[in-house]
Amino acid sequence: MTIISDTHSLSRLDLLLHHGWSVEAVSGPVPDSISGRQIPASVPGSIHTDLLAAGLIPDPYLDDNERLLAWIGICDWRYSTLFRWDGDDRGNTELVFEGLDTIATINLNGADIASTVNMHRTYRFDVRELLVVGANTLTITFESAIRYADRMSLDQGYLPHVNHHPYNAIRKMACSMGWDWGIDTATVGIWKPITLSSWATGRLDSVRPTATVDGDHGTVVVAIDLRTEMDAATRLTASLGSVTASVDLEPGQSSAELTLSVPDVERWWPRGHGDQPLYDLDVILTSDEERLDSWNGRVGFRSVRIDTEPDEHGTPFTFVINDRPIVIRGANWIPDDAFPHRVDRARYAERIDQAQFANINLLRVWGGGIYESDDFFGLCDERGMLTWQDFLFACAAYSEDDDSWAEVEAEARDNISRLMPHPSLVMWNGSNENIWGREEWGWGPRLGDRDWGLGYYLDLLPRLVGELDPGRPYTPSSPFSPDRTDGGEAYYPNDPAHGSTHFWETWNRQDYPVYRSYTPRFVGEFGWQGPPTWSTLVQSISDSPLTPESPGMLVHQKAQDGNVKLIDGLVAHLPLPDDMEDWHWAMSLNQAIAVGVAIDHFRSLAPVCMGSIVWQLNDCWPVTSWAAVDGYGRAKPLLYAIAHSYADRLISIQPRDSALIAAISNDTDEQWSGEATMRRLDLDGQVLASATISATVGARQSLVIDIPVELATAGNAAREVLEVRLGEIRGLWFFAEYRDSELGAAQLTTLVERVADGYTVEVTAQSTVRDVALLVDKLDDHATVDDQLVTLLPGDSVVFRVTSGELADPQALVSPRVLRSANQLLAGTSAAVAG
Ligand code: BMA
């Protein structure tokens, strides 16, 4: 039992009940070795991680353990602890559960106090009468989430969903029951803190500051819900710096509003646009000078709206922050671990560091996961990382019956109130793909005339956002086409010309150059699969031989026809290797190329297209997926491709109207100007044609340059490349696919040098070498490298900085399995690397 606040400062006393827990199986197909045992348990935690810590199961993430451990998810489990309560004179004592996963019956000293059915809610129960001075017994019995969801799927009537379990029949993290990148654990447990909270006279329930700014004048309207006793005279005070506001409350008053008028505020900006000043806000509840309760948070002053005013191209979807349209360079975020309680602040920080490395400025918290943690949003506030949070509805129809409605309302109230103070949060989204799914995925006949969740997206959720978080934008779904203003027939929900769009035909059925045939206004999802890094692959799969289709590889590939799509997506560009390490490199590279092509194209369309959010930044376990960072936190080549394509300044060469253009993006506050040089070169470096043009790209502007026909037309496509350069930045266009080109063997010289925290590897090309990468994790699974996928023309060099421990054989850094290039994958070539 840990005391987290005491009487010196506050009349409220909170005791964390995180000690002395054990867990036992109650029913289900429990193995003899576990049946009847009391197993030490962690809170916060989960049944899988408890069994793992006790040495009773193998790591669920390895090999085929997902299947071997499937029994866990169909058992019921009981968690118990004894805690000491010494009594106090505060009069009110509540048990507060911040997160129970999911179907739980709570018993205190032999009395059932509640049953809960929603992982995403905070529950608070008055237990004063049940407590005894001395030892108290608390037990929480969790019913199998799978069996509950199965039962509810019949009670509610079948409602369409993706994947194998009816995750839409339970308010639990959807991907916990498996996803097309997710392990199916269906775990249970106490995933967030439990507190025994005693208070007298009054306590705060929720504090919701809305900060607005006009010029440099800030206003914070603080809405407060609280509980006070009927005979209590209490006072609320809010303060921000030297500005304070107070109000005396009537006995029993349960809500109040305070307004702070704050002169000379600095604005909060998204990263890349300015600083992120955060202001401490304190709210204190007092009675006769005694502090009863307090709340502390940080607010930022910024405005946000989404511009959806129809224009000649359709309907935009542009984030406008502090009256400035922002080009969104985003990534989708999923739970960073299938057991989310394991993700601590340091791990969030590491992952957000990786997003920053990739020049990402927005993370979208996807609706099949969780309402993310305060740590996640707090870090994003500090770093100017924009966020949007989906309400937790994904790829399914959802019941709107009274019980479900009440759960959704309670969950939304909790989480809107919790997250709304964060300035990084710039939008709430009602659902992932459900409005599109209703239209597109054959739900009509399956649903008949039953409700399917639209009432949440169009009515309940926007109403709650309006009530609890006024001023924050809301969209009913992603993708979504806003309502027409001209009274015409509604647009198709995934119409690229209207609002947000998701591109999944590319990858599922179409090749990646097809991205270039669309002119979207805003892309909420698009992506391409690739395997995890090599070290993650071999640490999680022990197949011998390890092949693309060996047993462990198939378990760690969840996408429908995933391997066939990987192959089909590759062979138009690169030959399919029959060596596993080459296969791994080819698929990793192709993933990176595909996403780079998409982002370069979307950015070339600005300001018609004002953003893209790549699917997906992270993984929740080691798996072949669309992620840029794998399930063990290692950067895949894709992360570097995203970093290149989301760079502040970018030149890409694009086919447009059967010609070529150079699209120059300048997402900085400084004008970018100079002589743009254009050269058509032979792969051996000989200049075949060239031209120079003065280019001026204003701050936050884009410029399109038509490439003259003599540069845009190759004499011999297999042997030529076009380069457009402005200052230090260049864009390249190869006239032929990799596999049709005459790239030839990579001719490289290398120099490896030891430096303080690792090595530098200088690579100089004698021939044209595409996509040079160092797969350093093969040598040291903690090693990282500062860049990958660098294309070198003859004479070019690059210095890679490797952060690592001391390697037994540093020259291995330039061995063909570590020093990679696209050239290596082409028929008839082999790496020619000279030391
Ligand atoms: C979209 C996402 C996820 C899914 C991804 C890849 O539908 O919203 O549901 O993982 O595509 O298929």
Side-chain angles (χ1 to χ4, degrees):
M1 189 158 75
T2 308
I3 297 176
I4 54 175
S5 71
D6 67 27
T7 41
H8 298 304
S9 55
L10 227 49
S11 132
R12 197 177 103 190
L13 178 72
D14 286 348
L15 310 172
L16 274 180
L17 302 186
H18 288 183
H19 299 293
W21 287 91
S22 62
V23 61
E24 64 185 315
V26 177
S27 63
V30 188
D32 290 345
S33 56
I34 291 174
S35 184
R37 278 177 82 148
Q38 287 287 344
I39 301 152
S42 292
V43 172
S46 71
I47 183 59
H48 286 75
T49 47
D50 289 334
L51 293 171
L52 181 65
L56 295 169
I57 58 166
D59 185 340
Y61 290 179
L62 305 184
D63 293 316
D64 196 12
N65 292 341
E66 177 187 17
R67 187 174 56 83
L68 296 178
L69 300 177
W71 61 271
I72 300 173
I74 44 178
C75 292
D76 297 346
W77 299 90
R78 178 170 301 132
Y79 281 78
S80 317
T81 192
L82 269 183
F83 67 91
R84 196 180 160 74
W85 186 63
D86 293 328
D88 61 53
D89 58 2
R90 288 175 183 77
N92 303 284
T93 305
E94 292 162 333
L95 261 175
V96 185
F97 300 91
E98 286 181 41
L100 296 174
D101 179 11
T102 292
I103 309 303
T105 303
I106 305 164
N107 182 291
L108 180 63
N109 294 330
D112 280 347
I113 58 173
S115 295
T116 69
V117 292
N118 192 335
M119 173 181 179
H120 308 301
R121 286 179 60 182
T122 294
Y123 292 96
R124 184 183 276 277
F125 303 107
D126 183 354
V127 293
R128 182 90 185 174
E129 298 299 312
L130 290 171
L131 287 172
V132 293
V133 171
N136 290 265
T137 308
L138 178 62
T139 68
I140 306 175
T141 307
F142 290 97
E143 181 184 349
S144 152
I146 292 176
R147 290 195 292 109
Y148 173 88
D150 284 344
R151 214 173 55 240
M152 291 306 288
S153 74
L154 295 185
D155 284 2
Q156 294 176 343
Y158 169 77
L159 291 165
H161 58 88
V162 297
N163 308 319
H164 47 291
H165 292 302
Y167 63 83
N168 51 341
I170 180 172
R171 295 309 296 158
K172 174 176 169 63
M173 173 170 114
C175 62
S176 173
M177 293 182 163
W179 209 260
D180 62 0
W181 36 259
I183 181 174
D184 174 5
T185 68
T187 198
V188 300
I190 303 162
W191 77 292
K192 286 193 174 186
I194 301 181
T195 314
L196 189 69
S197 180
S198 290
W199 55 276
T201 314
R203 69 161 171 79
L204 300 172
D205 220 352
S206 117
V207 174
R208 300 186 307 277
T210 299
T212 54
V213 57
D214 184 5
D216 64 357
H217 193 91
T219 303
V220 189
V221 176
V222 192
I224 299 154
D225 293 335
L226 72 167
R227 280 189 59 190
T228 55
E229 286 171 344
M230 288 315 288
D231 54 353
T234 54
R235 184 176 173 80
L236 271 174
T237 305
S239 52
L240 188 152
S242 57
V243 180
T244 64
S246 295
V247 62
D248 289 319
L249 303 174
E250 299 293 327
Q253 190 171 334
S254 60
S255 66
E257 197 172 275
L258 291 167
T259 300
L260 297 167
S261 176
V262 193
D264 301 325
V265 297
E266 304 276 334
R267 289 193 184 222
W268 185 98
W269 285 96
R271 60 188 304 268
H273 290 263
D275 295 335
Q276 291 80 41
L278 295 168
Y279 293 81
D280 266 294
L281 173 67
D282 289 292
V283 175
I284 302 173
L285 178 67
T286 52
S287 176
D288 293 335
E289 307 295 309
E290 186 194 2
R291 281 160 61 104
L292 303 175
D293 202 353
S294 69
W295 180 97
N296 170 266
R298 293 180 302 179
V299 297
F301 293 94
R302 52 112 187 91
S303 66
V304 56
R305 66 186 174 86
I306 297 172
D307 177 9
T308 56
E309 193 60 38
D311 59 21
E312 72 272 28
H313 305 286
T315 317
F317 194 83
T318 303
F319 285 85
V320 181
I321 296 176
N322 294 331
D323 299 318
R324 175 187 280 200
I326 305 289
V327 173
I328 297 298
R329 312 183 225 149
N332 282 278
W333 174 275
I334 64 167
D336 204 56
D337 199 309
F339 308 111
H341 68 273
R342 296 201 290 201
V343 187
D344 60 11
R345 192 176 176 90
R347 183 149 146 200
Y348 280 115
E350 193 183 311
R351 209 62 71 240
I352 297 168
D353 282 346
Q354 286 166 315
Q356 288 182 226
F357 169 83
N359 296 314
I360 285 165
N361 65 8
L362 181 142
L363 295 172
R364 169 202 174 203
V365 183
W366 168 76
I370 56 176
Y371 298 98
E372 264 303 343
S373 70
D374 299 312
D375 280 336
F376 172 86
F377 285 99
L379 288 162
C380 290
D381 290 345
E382 289 171 8
R383 291 147 181 250
M385 182 65 76
L386 300 172
T387 56
W388 106 34
Q389 171 75 56
D390 287 7
F391 288 99
L392 301 185
F393 301 92
C395 305
Y398 287 83
S399 171
E400 294 180 40
D401 66 23
D402 291 349
D403 289 347
S404 305
W405 192 273
E407 285 304 327
V408 170
E409 173 159 1
E411 145 194 341
R413 284 186 178 280
D414 279 0
N415 288 288
I416 297 169
S417 301
R418 181 172 66 86
L419 298 179
M420 63 79 72
H422 293 283
S424 61
L425 182 64
V426 289
M427 191 177 76
W428 294 99
N429 169 30
S431 83
N432 177 68
E433 297 187 339
N434 295 357
I435 294 178
W436 176 37
R438 168 70 180 79
E439 190 108 347
E440 182 69 25
W441 300 346
W443 292 0
R446 297 183 217 155
L447 284 168
D449 58 4
R450 286 180 300 144
D451 291 332
W452 53 278
L454 192 64
Y456 299 133
Y457 320 136
L458 296 188
D459 170 20
L460 179 66
L461 296 172
R463 221 169 355 99
L464 294 176
V465 170
E467 175 193 330
L468 301 168
D469 189 11
R472 183 119 26 194
Y474 171 87
T475 187
S477 196
S478 183
F480 187 70
S481 295
D483 289 345
R484 288 182 75 149
T485 47
D486 61 4
E489 201 181 313
Y491 298 119
Y492 176 64
N494 198 25
D495 185 337
H498 299 284
S500 58
T501 194
H502 290 191
F503 286 127
W504 284 114
E505 283 302 294
T506 37
W507 160 252
N508 281 320
R509 276 164 286 278
Q510 295 172 334
D511 198 2
Y512 61 73
V514 175
Y515 287 120
R516 297 193 182 112
S517 63
Y518 297 104
T519 306
R521 307 308 306 268
F522 187 94
V523 190
E525 288 183 12
F526 64 102
W528 210 268
Q529 268 208 340
T533 60
W534 184 257
S535 53
T536 294
L537 200 63
V538 298
Q539 284 166 5
S540 56
I541 300 171
S542 61
D543 294 347
S544 178
L546 180 69
T547 80
E549 296 171 318
S550 58
M553 287 293 288
L554 295 183
V555 172
H556 294 243
Q557 163 60 285
K558 300 293 189 190
Q560 198 179 357
D561 296 329
N563 277 0
V564 172
K565 290 173 185 171
L566 281 175
I567 295 168
D568 288 348
L570 181 79
V571 292
H573 311 284
L574 285 158
L576 179 65
D578 287 323
D579 169 87
M580 186 60 188
E581 287 200 44
D582 285 348
W583 178 93
H584 172 264
W585 164 236
M587 292 306 180
S588 304
L589 174 61
N590 203 50
Q591 175 186 34
I593 295 167
V595 171
V597 163
I599 296 175
D600 289 353
H601 168 65
F602 301 147
R603 285 193 72 184
S604 80
L605 300 172
V608 173
C609 178
M610 282 299 281
S612 60
I613 307 184
V614 63
W615 185 267
Q616 69 213 65
L617 178 72
N618 56 339
D619 262 335
C620 64
W621 74 309
V623 67
T624 294
S625 84
W626 299 261
V629 175
D630 74 26
Y632 288 161
R634 299 187 179 110
K636 294 160 68 166
L638 172 59
L639 193 75
Y640 300 87
I642 296 173
H644 297 163
S645 292
Y646 277 161
D648 289 352
R649 289 181 165 173
L650 177 73
I651 301 177
S652 76
I653 299 171
Q654 301 287 333
R656 195 142 309 159
D657 303 329
S658 66
L660 291 179
I661 56 140
I664 309 184
S665 311
N666 178 24
D667 199 5
T668 75
D669 283 332
E670 278 83 53
Q671 174 173 296
W672 184 18
S673 55
E675 295 296 300
T677 57
M678 304 183 245
R679 302 191 300 165
R680 182 159 56 83
L681 301 147
D682 186 87
L683 292 181
D684 66 11
Q686 196 194 333
V687 179
L688 303 171
S690 65
T692 304
I693 181 175
S694 291
T696 298
V697 197
R700 309 289 171 188
Q701 298 293 314
S702 311
L703 177 72
V704 166
I705 298 177
D706 293 322
I707 310 267
V709 68
E710 68 277 14
L711 284 148
T713 315
N716 177 356
R719 290 204 49 82
E720 293 178 26
V721 56
L722 176 67
E723 179 200 67
V724 175
R725 180 184 279 276
L726 182 58
E728 293 299 294
I729 312 251
R730 77 174 176 195
L732 294 173
W733 175 260
F734 287 85
F735 291 93
E737 283 297 344
Y738 292 83
R739 65 176 307 151
D740 302 326
S741 73
E742 292 174 19
L743 274 175
Q747 291 172 28
L748 301 170
T749 52
T750 61
L751 179 65
V752 179
E753 283 185 321
R754 181 89 172 113
V755 291
D757 56 355
Y759 298 86
T760 56
V761 180
E762 184 176 331
V763 180
T764 306
Q766 280 74 53
S767 64
T768 295
V769 187
R770 295 185 69 178
D771 310 312
V772 177
L774 289 178
L775 305 186
V776 292
D777 66 292
K778 289 185 174 181
L779 302 178
D780 169 353
D781 64 2
H782 293 297
T784 56
V785 62
D786 67 337
D787 204 359
Q788 284 189 8
L789 309 178
V790 180
T791 290
L792 301 173
L793 301 183
D796 288 349
S797 329
V798 60
V799 178
F800 294 103
R801 286 164 222 290
V802 180
T803 306
S804 73
E806 186 158 2
L807 300 173
D809 174 15
Q811 280 309 116
L813 283 166
V814 293
S815 63
R817 65 184 285 265
V818 177
L819 174 54
R820 286 288 186 173
S821 66
N823 301 48
Q824 287 176 317
L825 298 167
L826 299 174
T829 65
S830 59
V833 180

